[in-house]
Amino acid sequence: MIHHLRGYFPILNWGRTYDRNAFSNDMIAAVIVTIMLIPQSLAYALLAGLPPEAGIYASIAPIILYAIFGTSRALAVGPVAVVSLLTASAVGQVAEQGTAGYAVAALTLAFLSGGFLLLLGILRLGFLANFLSHPVIAGFITASGILIAFSQLKHLLGVSAHGHTLPQLLTSLGEHLGEINIITVIIGGLATAFLFWVRKGLKPMLRRLGASPTLADVLTKAGPVAAVAVTTLSVWLFGLDDRGVKIVGDVPQGLPPFTLPGLSPDLIGQLMMPAILISIIGFVESVSVAQTLAAKKRQKIDPDQELIGLGAANLGAAFTGGYPVTGGFARSVVNYDAGAETPAAGAFTAIGLAIAAVALTPLVYYLPTATLAATIVVAVLSLVDFSILKKTWGYSKADFIAVAATILLTLGLGVEVGVASGVGISVLLHLYKTSRPHVAEIGLVPGTQHFRNINRHKVATDPTVLSLRVDESLYFVNARFLEDLIQSRVSDGCAIKHVILMFSAVNEVDFSALESLESINHRLTDLGIGLHLSEVKGPVMDRLYQTHFLRDLNGDVFLSQYDAWKALAKSAEMKNAAE
């Protein structure tokens, strides 16, 4: 019973061995991550179109719930850029930004996402995320990074603009260029430049000045906090808010409130598909980060339990004033590098953020939104990676098409259309590739018992024997291809007396493929040609034994291709090669 519970509550595993050393390391990591998350959480809430406090709320209960149910010891859960953009896109279609309905829709989105993830975890369906291929994810994240950066230009310029696609954003920005606030531009420009410098140059400079690695790392992570402090102080001292600089304003002071998502059928219907997309994208991103970090310490991640952990985190966000969350790459890497030993580091981070929500929110009243926009731009531009286009072009044109289409459709039609189209294109390309399976005509390598492609190696063949190695599982999409290929090779007047299908790479034969094999058998029987199988895997044989196919087969099933060759090759030269 206890062992079964530990499967669903990983905290029962690592909690048993928790000691003072782990506590010390977790506390240090929590302090560093908390410093980074305060401005980042405010910024991502802005990106999602929500009040800034929603970002902090979404970083408290979800982190604690993931610490209880999640299996990664370094993953930091909370708002991330891509999910924030998806939230703004989905919720913006059902409610107007700034209204109560918008906040309720965001809660509902988190609720639906959490419920979907939890259901997948309970049913052990984590493999479904595999339908979102890496090229599609890479293309989507690159396009999302571009969209996010352009969406923040309105805050950096101090203008009003809207849109969820690149053409919409550019058109809207162009229409409002006359509203540019120079002071906002200066604040945003300096903050952006400073944050870029912090990322690249601050740590090396501090090390040259003699700072310890730990101190240099903490000060580097605190760079955004410094930008927030300086720009906030500047706005307050010089009254820049009276000169058109937009500020955060009042942020409620206190712990996350208890909230209820909207459960009207219409709202659920409108948000169900976006919630599924957010869930899958968030899960893929989260598990990728978790597995990468776990591998460095030879730890294990359970993808199905991760679904439960992320589902619980999103449900927590739905009932505490947040919005959809997932495991973030940047904060998780910081958490890992800072020495986090267990998920307790996340719980301590949540406590730090709760203290910030209670005591520090009045301090951000004069925080310019341009600074938060700068924080977002610097964070998301690191996600943009056009090298994936070059890599896929050189390796697989099909993957290149999937990446390019995902990028273009995401930029042109929006994030939901982009990722849905990317998944659809990936599946279609997979179906196309598997509909034309690689089937090699093979011959015997002289002096061995090995068979290789006649177009790649010098091998012995027999004009009366056609040996074909099928390099894909056979199912409804490609079954007819094999049927047509054999038909084209055994035309009237040919010398072929036997066809051997080498099934060493065939893992599955579905019913449509079985019917094709039966058709091939009947046609070859009519032509006086034997059909034989070799090296059939056990599970495939088990399925075939349940049918009439083996009883009707006009040839034999051989344990090895070499056995089939020895039995069927007729010419003396071929016999000698076999021996």
Side-chain angles (χ1 to χ4, degrees):
M1 179 65 179
I2 296 296
H3 179 74
H4 183 71
L5 282 175
R6 286 174 183 165
Y8 287 99
F9 296 90
I11 190 174
L12 297 177
N13 291 316
W14 58 262
R16 290 182 304 153
T17 58
Y18 199 70
D19 55 23
R20 182 177 297 179
N21 183 60
F23 173 78
S24 175
N25 291 335
D26 286 343
M27 281 297 295
I28 293 172
V31 170
I32 295 173
V33 175
T34 301
I35 291 172
M36 183 187 81
L37 282 190
I38 291 173
Q40 194 179 79
S41 298
L42 297 172
Y44 287 153
L46 179 72
L47 175 60
L50 292 162
E53 65 270 15
I56 294 179
Y57 295 163
S59 301
I60 297 177
I63 297 179
I64 295 174
L65 288 167
Y66 179 83
I68 296 171
F69 295 100
T71 60
S72 172
R73 299 198 174 197
L75 191 71
V77 172
V80 299
V82 173
V83 171
S84 297
L85 177 65
L86 285 165
T87 298
S89 175
V91 177
Q93 296 176 22
V94 300
E96 185 177 347
Q97 186 173 327
T99 63
Y102 191 96
V104 170
L107 296 173
T108 305
L109 195 62
F111 177 77
L112 294 174
S113 179
F116 180 71
L117 288 167
L118 203 60
L119 179 63
L120 290 183
I122 292 172
L123 298 178
R124 319 301 283 178
L125 296 178
F127 71 90
L128 290 176
N130 294 334
F131 286 100
L132 208 56
S133 68
H134 174 72
V136 167
I137 284 287
F140 173 73
I141 289 178
T142 291
S144 297
I146 295 171
L147 277 180
I148 291 169
F150 274 94
S151 72
Q152 296 308 297
L153 286 179
K154 63 182 179 182
H155 298 297
L156 294 173
L157 299 175
V159 302
S160 300
H162 62 275
H164 296 293
T165 68
L166 189 58
Q168 290 174 351
L169 287 169
L170 291 175
T171 301
S172 185
L173 285 169
E175 292 172 350
H176 295 86
L177 283 180
E179 304 171 5
I180 288 178
N181 184 284
I182 298 301
I183 300 176
T184 299
V185 172
I186 294 172
I187 292 174
L190 290 176
T192 303
F194 172 74
L195 291 173
F196 270 119
W197 175 77
V198 165
R199 282 202 163 204
K200 300 293 183 181
L202 179 58
K203 190 171 183 178
M205 186 192 77
L206 292 173
R207 294 291 290 126
R208 287 195 302 270
L209 293 175
S212 67
T214 302
L215 178 60
D217 194 53
V218 171
L219 292 176
T220 300
K221 300 301 186 296
V225 176
V228 166
V230 171
T231 55
T232 301
L233 189 61
S234 298
V235 171
W236 175 64
L237 284 175
F238 301 107
L240 299 181
D241 55 318
D242 295 328
R243 301 173 64 179
V245 174
K246 295 181 180 178
I247 59 174
V248 168
D250 284 315
V251 176
Q253 190 174 3
L255 294 173
F258 177 74
T259 53
L260 288 174
L263 299 178
S264 70
D266 288 343
L267 184 60
I268 290 175
Q270 289 175 298
L271 293 177
M272 181 59 73
M273 187 52 65
I276 291 173
L277 288 176
I278 287 173
S279 300
I280 294 175
I281 292 170
F283 172 64
V284 170
E285 179 181 355
S286 180
V287 168
S288 298
V289 175
Q291 289 177 334
T292 299
L293 297 179
K296 294 182 179 182
K297 288 190 175 182
R298 298 187 178 182
Q299 295 169 348
K300 183 181 178 182
I301 297 299
D302 180 354
D304 291 317
Q305 185 60 32
E306 284 297 289
L307 283 167
I308 294 175
L310 291 173
N314 275 280
L315 289 176
F319 291 102
T320 56
Y323 65 98
V325 297
T326 192
F329 176 76
R331 68 184 66 185
S332 298
V333 171
V334 170
N335 198 37
Y336 177 88
D337 290 342
E341 291 280 343
T342 72
F348 297 149
T349 299
I351 294 172
L353 289 171
I355 293 172
V358 171
L360 302 181
T361 50
L363 300 179
V364 299
Y365 180 91
Y366 289 100
L367 172 61
T369 55
T371 302
L372 294 180
T375 302
I376 293 173
V377 169
V378 173
V380 300
L381 286 183
S382 64
L383 303 176
V384 177
D385 178 19
F386 287 112
S387 68
I388 189 67
L389 291 169
K390 182 179 179 181
K391 293 173 184 175
T392 52
W393 176 261
Y395 186 78
S396 169
K397 299 298 186 291
D399 285 334
F400 171 81
I401 292 172
V403 173
T406 302
I407 291 175
L408 292 174
L409 290 170
T410 301
L411 292 177
L413 300 177
V415 288
E416 292 173 22
V417 173
V419 71
S421 301
V423 173
I425 291 169
S426 291
V427 172
L428 289 175
L429 288 173
H430 172 73
L431 292 176
Y432 173 75
K433 287 186 286 187
T434 57
S435 71
R436 303 175 61 83
H438 183 262
V439 179
E441 183 174 349
I442 56 175
L444 179 66
V445 178
T448 74
Q449 297 183 11
H450 300 292
F451 290 80
R452 293 293 185 268
N453 192 326
I454 65 172
N455 296 320
R456 293 177 178 269
H457 303 273
K458 292 182 179 180
V459 293
T461 60
D462 186 324
T464 66
V465 178
L466 174 63
S467 295
L468 299 175
R469 188 188 69 226
V470 183
D471 291 336
E472 297 270 1
S473 290
L474 295 176
Y475 69 120
F476 67 96
V477 171
N478 61 22
R480 189 59 185 266
F481 178 84
L482 180 62
E483 193 175 339
D484 293 341
L485 175 64
I486 294 175
Q487 180 67 25
S488 68
R489 292 301 309 275
V490 295
S491 56
D492 292 339
C494 71
I496 296 173
K497 297 300 180 184
H498 301 281
V499 173
I500 308 172
L501 297 180
M502 182 177 174
F503 269 24
S504 57
V506 176
N507 297 315
E508 176 73 21
V509 176
D510 77 355
F511 191 77
S512 297
L514 175 65
E515 290 187 328
S516 286
L517 289 175
E518 291 174 342
S519 178
I520 292 170
N521 184 51
H522 291 318
R523 289 184 185 180
L524 294 182
T525 299
D526 293 340
L527 293 172
I529 299 173
L531 175 64
H532 312 271
L533 305 179
S534 75
E535 303 192 12
V536 184
K537 293 184 176 181
V540 176
M541 280 297 293
D542 292 342
R543 297 286 293 276
L544 294 179
Y545 272 130
Q546 299 173 16
T547 71
H548 293 283
F549 174 70
L550 292 179
R551 290 192 289 272
D552 296 337
L553 186 68
N554 67 19
D556 298 306
V557 179
F558 295 92
L559 183 62
S560 72
Q561 179 67 21
Y562 185 69
D563 291 341
W565 176 263
K566 287 196 300 181
L568 302 174
K570 297 303 182 184
S571 69
E573 181 183 348
M574 296 305 104
K575 286 289 187 181
N576 291 335
E579 296 169 358

